[in-house]
Amino acid sequence: MIHQPIKTHMPSVAQLLISLAGLVSTLSSVAGLAVIVLAGATAQTMQFQSTAPMGVLIWANLLIALVTIPSLVLSIKRLARVPVRQTGIRKGLLFSSILLLAMVPLVYLVYKDPSVLEHSFLSALLTVLVVAVPLWWFVEIGRRRLSTGSLQRQWGLVNFSIYAGLPVVIFVEILLILLVLILAGVWVAGQDDFKPILMTLQTQMMLNPQDFSILTERFGTLFQKPEVLVAGFGLAVILVPLIEELLKPLALWFFIKRDWSPSEGFTAGLLCGAAFALVESVFSIASVQGDAWLATLAGRVGTGLLHTLTAGITGWALVSTWRDGKFKRVGLAYLVSIAIHGLWNFFALLFGLSSTLALDVDPSMSTLIDASPWVLAALAVGMLLMLFFMNRKIAKSIPPAVIPPLPPETMG
């Protein structure tokens, strides 16, 4: 009798390596940030107003690094052929709802006493909690009564999205944005408005290189030109959604040939989008203090819902198309995701610019700016309803379980 060798589960090997690399890279970045903080606190030439934002980033990195632990443990157990639990937390929607309600007094505490954010660890912990809990709730809303796959797969998707997918997205975005900036620089250099600024810059560098107040004012005027604003909006409304909606569910491209169901594709996409939003939102809020913290948090919760929903739609379309070969579905899902993402970014930019720039716009644009917070709120409600109805649609499409027939001797 010839014994067949037991094959090593290669996806678990990949999961182990990605999780380990993520943990090492995070700890390395924490060490680097700690060195910067210590150097800034002791060096006489460096004058930091506060090391609190850097401290928040350090603690936030350490807290996010905790997501690598379950993935490491489960992949090691799989490779060691140790039996593990195959499903996630039961009643996840109930637990996440309870935690979501518990976030309300915490947010109210920050509203009443913003000084709590001055403590680096407490600020990082609050930031991670108020970002992660709503994301978990969105995921549970979307995957209620649906097949989610093994616990190892779920943590593997989260780690892949954070430590492999997100770096790829950032790299591609930086590359394309640099290309756009180079082209924009060539265009700006030929503008008549830029020539006096260039002459002022040369003079300022020779006389007083530390005073750039005049240049800041002139560049501000240049940046408010319609052509520059249109280019900036084009980057945020078109280019960024094109890249992110294509690459957010990158993990699914490595599993798409497996025999997944459409519901598993949808829930896998939800996890990929939530993981992507977790890191993006935590580091967006971690650098903000004071009254702006709550406003930024409100915007990032909506953005987290956006990333979770659109990645879920794409994941469902990818797996469904792999099963039946209807490629128009993927294209339509991609366009819908881009449209939702672009619309959100457009009104978020209007809302942000309304408080930072004194824009000279026509009445119709002014009306859009004034309406932007209400439009964003309506979009958030619409996305939540869309997530709920997507869940119902997919759940209804699942065929009922077939009850096996009784043995012949039991009949009659």
Side-chain angles (χ1 to χ4, degrees):
M1 181 177 178
I2 300 176
H3 294 280
Q4 295 292 333
I6 300 176
K7 294 183 179 180
T8 302
H9 190 243
M10 295 310 297
S12 294
V13 174
Q15 180 177 346
L16 176 62
L17 293 176
I18 291 172
S19 303
L20 189 60
L23 180 61
V24 171
S25 63
T26 302
L27 295 179
S28 299
S29 65
V30 166
L33 290 172
V35 170
I36 293 174
V37 169
L38 293 175
T42 57
Q44 298 296 324
T45 58
M46 299 179 66
Q47 299 179 356
F48 287 113
Q49 294 181 350
S50 174
T51 58
M54 197 72 73
V56 175
L57 290 176
I58 291 174
W59 284 113
N61 268 288
L62 288 173
L63 291 171
I64 290 178
L66 294 177
V67 303
T68 62
I69 305 303
S71 184
L72 285 169
V73 171
L74 292 169
S75 57
I76 290 173
K77 283 187 175 182
R78 176 64 181 269
L79 293 171
R81 298 176 179 84
V82 176
V84 294
R85 186 161 53 94
Q86 293 300 310
T87 57
I89 300 175
R90 291 185 177 182
K91 299 182 179 180
L93 181 58
L94 174 63
F95 292 152
S96 61
S97 299
I98 293 172
L99 282 177
L100 189 64
L101 291 175
M103 293 298 103
V104 175
L106 289 179
V107 173
Y108 183 73
L109 173 65
V110 176
Y111 171 73
K112 296 297 292 183
D113 185 14
S115 63
V116 299
L117 299 175
E118 296 176 2
H119 304 278
S120 298
F121 174 73
L122 187 58
S123 178
L125 182 62
L126 283 172
T127 299
V128 172
L129 284 176
V130 297
V131 169
V133 171
L135 287 173
W136 182 23
W137 189 71
F138 297 148
V139 170
E140 294 298 341
I141 287 286
R143 69 180 185 179
R144 186 171 59 98
R145 300 177 301 170
L146 300 182
S147 175
T148 58
S150 68
L151 195 61
Q152 180 189 352
R153 179 198 293 178
Q154 295 173 49
W155 282 109
L157 288 167
V158 169
N159 277 263
F160 189 100
S161 296
I162 293 175
Y163 297 110
L166 183 58
V168 171
V169 171
I170 294 174
F171 174 77
V172 174
E173 285 183 343
I174 290 176
L175 195 64
L176 292 179
I177 290 174
L178 283 176
L179 178 61
V180 171
L181 289 178
I182 291 172
L183 296 175
V186 173
W187 175 81
V188 169
Q191 299 298 305
D192 293 335
D193 294 343
F194 182 74
K195 293 177 182 179
I197 296 177
L198 184 60
M199 294 178 63
T200 305
L201 176 62
Q202 293 173 347
T203 306
Q204 193 72 32
M205 288 297 293
M206 292 186 293
L207 298 178
N208 188 6
Q210 295 182 351
D211 184 11
F212 282 92
S213 57
I214 299 177
L215 288 175
T216 302
E217 181 181 349
R218 294 194 178 185
F219 268 115
T221 304
L222 181 64
F223 288 151
Q224 292 188 41
K225 290 177 68 67
E227 300 90 341
V228 177
L229 288 175
V230 168
F233 269 76
L235 285 174
V237 176
I238 299 175
L239 184 62
V240 169
L242 278 171
I243 297 170
E244 292 187 355
E245 297 309 325
L246 178 66
L247 297 178
K248 263 190 314 188
L250 187 63
L252 272 68
W253 293 99
F254 293 88
F255 297 98
I256 198 170
K257 292 184 179 181
R258 296 183 175 275
D259 189 21
W260 284 15
S261 66
S263 65
E264 288 176 307
F266 181 65
T267 56
L270 295 177
L271 288 171
C272 290
F276 181 93
L278 173 67
V279 179
E280 185 184 68
S281 297
V282 164
F283 289 111
S284 296
I285 301 173
S287 57
V288 178
Q289 290 184 317
D291 297 335
W293 191 86
L294 287 173
T296 307
L297 169 64
R300 296 312 307 184
V301 169
T303 304
L305 173 58
L306 161 75
H307 287 311
T308 304
L309 171 65
T310 55
I313 292 173
T314 306
W316 164 79
L318 284 170
V319 175
S320 299
T321 298
W322 181 257
R323 294 169 67 91
D324 60 20
K326 296 179 180 179
F327 290 95
K328 289 183 180 179
R329 182 195 292 112
V330 173
L332 182 60
Y334 183 51
L335 291 176
V336 168
S337 298
I338 290 173
I340 296 173
H341 197 158
L343 197 60
W344 177 270
N345 283 2
F346 176 77
F347 283 100
L349 266 180
L350 284 181
F351 179 68
L353 291 177
S354 65
S355 58
T356 57
L357 291 177
L359 298 176
D360 184 15
V361 297
D362 57 65
S364 60
M365 182 60 71
S366 179
T367 303
L368 281 177
I369 292 174
D370 294 337
S372 59
W374 301 103
V375 175
L376 289 172
L379 283 173
V381 173
M383 288 188 293
L384 189 59
L385 289 174
M386 192 173 181
L387 182 64
F388 176 78
F389 285 112
M390 279 292 296
N391 172 271
R392 292 192 61 182
K393 169 183 169 61
I394 296 172
K396 288 181 178 180
S397 67
I398 299 175
V402 179
I403 302 175
L406 294 173
E409 58 270 16
T410 64
M411 300 178 64

